[in-house]
Amino acid sequence: MNLSSSFSPHNDVLNASPTTDPEKLSLIEELKRRGRACVTTGQYPHGRDLYGKAIEVLTDLSSESNSAKRDLSILHSNRALCHLQMNKPSDCYDDATSATCFDPTYLKGFWRLGQACMALKKTQEAVDAYTAALELEEGNKALKKELIKAKKQLVKDQEEAEKKAEEEKEKEKDATVVRKPSTVSTASTASPSTSVVSNTSGSTTNANTTEKCAASNADFTKSDHVRGYKVVNGKKTSFFHHEQTEEEKRLIGDIAPKRIDPATSNPTPSSKTQEKDVSVWNKAGTWEEKDVTDWAIQSVTDKVMETQYDLPDGSPDPNASVVVTNITKLISSKKTLGTAHASVAKVRGKKKYIFEFTICVHWEVTLGSGDKCDGKMTFYDVDGTHEIGEGYDVSDYCLDGDSGAQADAKFLMERFVRDGGFRTAVEKKLDEWIQLFRDTY
């Protein structure tokens, strides 16, 4: 099945027909990289096509291993996200259901299923899906919020259903008025009317037939001149028809469709030496992507570790300061359970900077008294859709331990670490890294 459009920059991979297992696995990796890039940059129709092709090729491998099932679950979940963003909840529902079937331990499959059910107003199913997801990760605060929202909607739906049932009962009570049946017979009057209509119809048909009547060998009926027909080379054709002259035919040349040899039209990995950092699938030069995840993880870690914040003079403890002590959750997507990815893509000559991170920042506050407090907070969705200066969403903020100093300074840290000050300093470092990414590549 050809999933591509004639204008897609991904036709080289969407139309590929690999024959060997290594070629298929190579193509799947290329499709996954491009699909991830398209989702990151909001090109959801392209992402849907790429993930669909990857599902098709992976299914064709006929592997029953747990690894293959896990990959199919992820691919269906990613395509479900594309469908959801394209306002196609039914397709999202189908893909999310497939994701949960292939791997019942994959959290995002249930998450997408819950989102699809909410869009389709299948509120009870959404509650069940979010509940199943929370059983896989009990501490996920974002999922808890979605479950609470779904439960509130379920109560609202039940109240509306009860209200509608009461209204239907009231309508049934109001409709108990007995109507007397009509005693007037219409049979005697129906026949003459029918006869008149029949006669009228017959006369109208005869009139139309007479109007269109012409000799059997004539070119036009009486009404054809109104429609704008004419005769060209003995054939009746539209008034706007234009016959090309010999000079016009010579200038245009031969435009008849020509058969393309399938052996040359379907790109497969070439054994010839490829240009460095250029995909073997990119025959048309429409899409090229260079993976820089390892560099990105190291450079963003170095940049965020530079963060230091001193509380201002007007604060309750102007001698306190905050530093970063560690960075976690920044794991490459090439590793198990990793999600971090960064790459530079060239699409029809234009550069796109693609990245997606989840960063957990561990910090330590040194109070003016010398006491120390530490904790952590997570920056989700640090990705290529972000504009410098917009700020980032923070969740999973918590204090480590329960010392007396931390309890006394709780308000201070919420104000100057979680809600501003230190958080703003970290966000500034992330913005500096985005600019460094663009300057480096």
Side-chain angles (χ1 to χ4, degrees):
M1 179 177 64
N2 186 359
L3 298 170
S4 65
S5 70
S6 57
F7 300 105
S8 172
H10 307 285
N11 279 341
D12 52 339
V13 289
L14 293 176
N15 293 330
S17 299
T19 55
T20 65
D21 285 356
E23 287 179 354
K24 291 177 182 179
L25 292 172
S26 173
L27 177 59
I28 289 170
E29 289 303 314
E30 180 78 7
L31 290 162
K32 287 163 64 177
R33 282 195 296 270
R34 296 196 189 188
R36 180 169 54 245
C38 288
V39 169
T40 303
T41 55
Q43 300 177 46
Y44 298 108
H46 288 322
R48 172 201 60 192
D49 294 343
L50 290 163
Y51 286 127
K53 179 70 174 182
I55 291 170
E56 176 188 324
V57 177
L58 184 55
T59 303
D60 189 51
L61 282 173
S62 302
S63 175
E64 294 295 328
S65 66
N66 291 333
S67 175
K69 290 180 179 179
R70 174 77 174 184
D71 286 342
L72 281 170
S73 179
I74 294 172
L75 290 171
H76 276 288
S77 176
N78 291 345
R79 189 169 68 172
L81 172 61
C82 295
H83 285 310
L84 188 66
Q85 295 296 331
M86 294 168 64
N87 197 26
K88 294 184 176 182
S90 295
D91 293 333
C92 176
Y93 179 86
D94 293 340
D95 267 324
T97 302
S98 297
T100 59
C101 291
F102 278 113
D103 186 357
T105 65
Y106 186 51
L107 182 143
K108 283 190 178 180
F110 289 101
W111 197 326
R112 301 292 177 233
L113 182 58
Q115 291 175 312
C117 290
M118 289 296 289
L120 293 169
K121 301 189 183 303
K122 298 181 177 182
T123 319
Q124 183 59 61
E125 287 190 45
V127 171
D128 295 340
Y130 288 136
T131 302
L134 275 171
E135 289 176 357
L136 298 173
E137 189 176 320
E138 295 180 0
N140 193 307
K141 293 184 178 180
L143 266 175
K144 289 179 180 178
K145 289 181 180 179
E146 294 298 326
L147 179 58
I148 292 171
K149 188 189 301 182
K151 286 183 176 179
K152 287 181 178 179
Q153 185 62 44
L154 182 60
V155 172
K156 185 178 178 181
D157 291 345
Q158 290 172 344
E159 290 175 350
E160 290 179 354
E162 291 173 0
K163 183 179 178 180
K164 188 175 181 181
E166 289 296 328
E167 291 176 352
E168 291 295 331
K169 288 181 180 179
E170 291 297 327
K171 288 181 181 179
E172 289 178 3
K173 291 179 181 179
D174 295 339
T176 55
V177 179
V178 179
R179 297 178 181 176
K180 295 182 179 181
S182 175
T183 57
V184 179
S185 174
T186 58
S188 60
T189 58
S191 295
S193 299
T194 305
S195 177
V196 171
V197 172
S198 178
N199 291 338
T200 303
S201 176
S203 61
T204 303
T205 303
N206 290 337
N208 290 339
T209 304
T210 303
E211 181 184 348
K212 290 188 177 181
C213 182
S216 59
N217 61 348
D219 292 315
F220 298 100
T221 64
K222 289 185 178 181
S223 60
D224 277 347
H225 68 283
V226 178
R227 299 178 185 145
Y229 293 119
K230 65 180 180 180
V231 175
V232 177
N233 295 332
K235 297 180 181 179
K236 184 170 69 173
T237 184
S238 166
F239 178 79
F240 298 100
H241 176 80
H242 172 70
E243 281 290 319
Q244 293 179 352
T245 64
E246 292 301 321
E247 179 64 15
E248 289 172 335
K249 292 179 180 179
R250 185 184 65 80
L251 290 172
I252 294 173
D254 184 10
I255 59 173
K258 295 179 177 59
R259 183 179 181 83
I260 299 176
D261 184 3
T264 60
S265 64
N266 290 328
T268 54
S270 173
S271 59
K272 297 180 180 179
T273 303
Q274 295 290 326
E275 182 182 346
K276 186 179 180 181
D277 298 327
V278 174
S279 167
V280 295
W281 297 101
N282 190 14
K283 303 298 183 184
T286 53
W287 176 280
E288 195 58 54
E289 184 180 0
K290 179 181 180 181
D291 188 288
V292 294
T293 302
D294 294 338
W295 172 88
I297 290 175
Q298 185 60 53
S299 58
V300 77
T301 299
D302 293 342
K303 182 62 69 175
V304 175
M305 288 294 292
E306 296 173 0
T307 308
Q308 180 174 347
Y309 175 72
D310 298 324
L311 271 66
D313 293 337
S315 68
D317 191 349
N319 295 320
S321 62
V322 194
V323 296
V324 178
T325 58
N326 193 18
I327 301 292
T328 57
K329 293 190 178 181
L330 200 56
I331 305 172
S332 172
S333 58
K334 293 178 283 187
K335 298 180 181 179
T336 305
L337 302 179
T339 58
H341 169 79
S343 60
V344 182
K346 285 186 178 180
V347 185
R348 302 189 189 279
K350 294 182 179 180
K351 273 190 179 182
K352 291 185 180 292
Y353 297 92
I354 303 160
F355 56 93
E356 184 177 7
F357 300 129
T358 294
I359 305 174
C360 183
V361 178
H362 298 252
W363 47 265
E364 181 181 75
V365 177
T366 302
L367 302 174
S369 62
D371 292 327
K372 295 182 183 294
C373 308
D374 51 15
K376 60 185 177 181
M377 56 185 176
T378 302
F379 292 80
Y380 284 100
D381 297 329
V382 180
D383 57 40
T385 62
H386 177 81
E387 293 295 334
I388 292 177
E390 283 185 347
Y392 299 84
D393 293 331
V394 171
S395 63
D396 298 339
Y397 169 87
C398 66
L399 300 175
D400 294 335
D402 55 357
S403 66
Q406 287 181 330
D408 294 339
K410 181 179 179 182
F411 171 77
L412 186 73
M413 287 182 284
E414 286 178 351
R415 180 179 175 185
F416 292 100
V417 175
R418 183 190 67 184
D419 300 332
F422 175 71
R423 171 181 173 175
T424 303
V426 174
E427 290 175 344
K428 183 178 178 182
K429 290 297 181 181
L430 290 173
D431 287 346
E432 288 178 6
W433 178 84
I434 294 175
Q435 191 59 52
L436 173 65
F437 185 18
R438 295 172 180 173
D439 293 341
T440 303
Y441 293 97

